[in-house]
Amino acid sequence: MKDYILLIDKPAYMTSQDCLTILKGKLKVKKIGHTGTLDPIATGLMIVLVNEATKLSNFILNADKTYFATMQLFIRTDSDDISGNVLETRTPVEISQESLKRVFNFYDNSEYEQVVPLYSAVKKDGLKLYQYAFKNKPVELPKRTVAIRRLRLISFKENLIQFQVTCSKGTYIRSLIKDIAQDLKTIATMTALRRVEQGSFRIQDAILLDNIVDEKSINKHKIPIVKALKDSLKIVTITNKNIITRIKNGQTIDLPDLEIKPEILLVNDSRQPLAIYANSKGTTYISKKGFNIDESDKR
């Protein structure tokens, strides 16, 4: 199988791009990508897309993500995590369980305007925010609406708060920690972060980066494109050769017998992906993403 998804358990203190560089060398593949950057100190689920599967990035990127995080109270760093330079420390004060519960209940199952952290790749006026930090240039940090689907307190001991959070695309856990601390009338920084879910993908199915030697070592871990999309798109099998030709050429098609869906995944009778099509009007569908799949590769 040449085109597939691979779930990696990213190690700490390595960038997502570093992981891709290592994988590309080990797997000897032409194209490789991922569906959401993890902070360097973070560990956990990283969805890697290989060859034609790189076209799935936007379809998986929008899925909710679940993390386990640890925050340390009474300390503030420039990067909002423990790898950064310490800007401020405060004498510890008592924080009641009632206060903690009130703040967690406020964010649980809510939407709010979150400030993007300075050390991030979000662009402002043509520059990534971290470039402003490196150049020591002032910049107004952008805000965006994020959704906290679920926020659950796990433990609170010796100035460390551990919690689990499920959130929407674009949510920064470092910013959430900063906001929680502010509502507790103190400061905090992130000390650990582990992604365990993204959409229907789970960390239990991931492989450690160190366990990958070459392509043979991941054969049991390859996820076909169709299987990866089965929970997010309706799969429609096309057997008519004329329609298949139109699909391969990226042309508009008409599917009168199909229940109308915003987007569909079209496959051939061998369950190989042909393209992702979007509904245009009525029973008419237009090409959104086409797949250049080797039809002899039926594994």
Side-chain angles (χ1 to χ4, degrees):
M1 188 188 306
K2 299 175 183 177
D3 312 284
Y4 56 88
I5 290 86
L6 182 65
L7 306 183
I8 299 296
D9 189 344
K10 186 187 93 65
Y13 295 100
M14 179 182 290
T15 68
S16 298
Q17 187 56 49
D18 286 342
C19 285
L20 290 186
T21 301
I22 291 170
L23 282 171
K24 191 171 185 179
K26 288 183 175 183
L27 302 179
K28 311 297 182 188
V29 294
K30 292 181 179 178
K31 293 188 292 184
I32 193 167
H34 64 79
T35 64
T37 300
L38 274 171
D39 289 338
I41 76 163
T43 67
L45 183 62
M46 184 172 157
I47 302 173
V48 175
L49 312 173
V50 177
N51 292 326
E52 286 295 288
T54 54
K55 296 176 180 178
L56 303 182
S57 180
N58 289 338
F59 298 94
I60 300 174
L61 190 63
N62 292 328
D64 288 349
K65 303 175 182 69
T66 298
Y67 300 89
F68 286 97
T70 304
M71 57 188 282
Q72 182 177 341
L73 297 170
F74 316 121
I75 180 172
R76 181 169 67 91
T77 67
D78 57 359
S79 62
D80 298 318
D81 66 32
I82 204 63
S83 69
N85 299 311
V86 176
L87 300 178
E88 181 185 0
T89 58
R90 293 184 187 177
T91 303
V93 296
E94 184 179 353
I95 293 177
S96 68
Q97 287 288 344
E98 290 76 14
S99 297
L100 202 54
K101 184 177 180 180
R102 174 182 54 78
V103 172
F104 269 68
N105 285 342
F106 174 79
Y107 288 102
D108 184 34
N109 192 27
S110 70
E111 290 187 0
Y112 82 105
E113 289 288 304
Q114 187 181 76
V115 178
V116 176
L118 179 60
Y119 282 82
S120 66
V122 173
K123 283 190 174 182
K124 179 74 179 290
D125 298 329
L127 286 179
K128 294 179 179 179
L129 290 179
Y130 68 75
Q131 292 176 308
Y132 286 95
F134 293 158
K135 295 178 180 180
N136 202 25
K137 292 178 62 176
V139 61
E140 183 178 352
L141 298 176
K143 294 181 180 180
R144 55 189 178 191
T145 301
V146 299
I148 308 299
R149 313 291 187 201
R150 184 169 185 247
L151 183 63
R152 181 171 67 90
L153 177 66
I154 296 174
S155 67
F156 176 31
K157 185 179 180 182
E158 296 179 353
N159 301 336
L160 293 177
I161 297 173
Q162 292 182 311
F163 62 87
Q164 180 182 355
V165 59
T166 299
C167 54
S168 64
K169 168 193 173 184
T171 304
Y172 282 90
I173 307 304
R174 285 176 288 147
S175 294
L176 175 62
I177 286 172
K178 193 173 182 177
D179 295 332
I180 290 172
Q182 185 174 2
D183 288 349
L184 291 170
K185 297 180 171 54
T186 187
I187 55 177
T189 196
M190 186 175 77
T191 58
L193 182 68
R194 182 164 178 78
R195 184 193 288 163
V196 294
E197 293 180 7
Q198 183 172 350
S200 60
F201 300 102
R202 306 287 183 267
I203 189 64
Q204 293 91 330
D205 300 316
I207 182 173
L208 290 169
L209 191 62
D210 287 345
N211 290 346
I212 299 175
V213 179
D214 52 23
E215 189 177 13
K216 288 182 180 179
S217 65
I218 63 163
N219 279 337
K220 293 181 180 179
H221 296 272
K222 292 179 178 179
I223 302 173
I225 289 173
V226 175
K227 185 177 180 180
L229 293 177
K230 67 181 178 64
D231 293 327
S232 54
L233 292 178
K234 180 177 177 60
I235 298 172
V236 179
T237 302
I238 303 294
T239 56
N240 184 293
K241 291 183 179 180
N242 291 331
I243 296 179
I244 288 177
T245 299
R246 291 185 65 85
I247 292 168
K248 289 182 177 180
N249 291 330
Q251 295 174 297
T252 299
I253 60 173
D254 189 56
L255 299 172
D257 299 325
L258 179 69
E259 178 187 356
I260 295 175
K261 297 286 184 181
E263 292 177 340
I264 54 176
L265 173 63
L266 304 178
V267 302
N268 61 21
D269 54 7
S270 297
R271 299 285 286 180
Q272 294 172 308
L274 298 170
I276 295 172
Y277 266 61
N279 183 257
S280 174
K281 185 179 181 181
T283 59
T284 302
Y285 287 80
I286 57 175
S287 180
K288 199 165 183 180
K289 288 283 183 183
F291 297 104
N292 184 23
I293 299 294
D294 181 359
E295 294 187 19
S296 65
D297 184 17
K298 298 183 179 181
R299 288 173 293 168

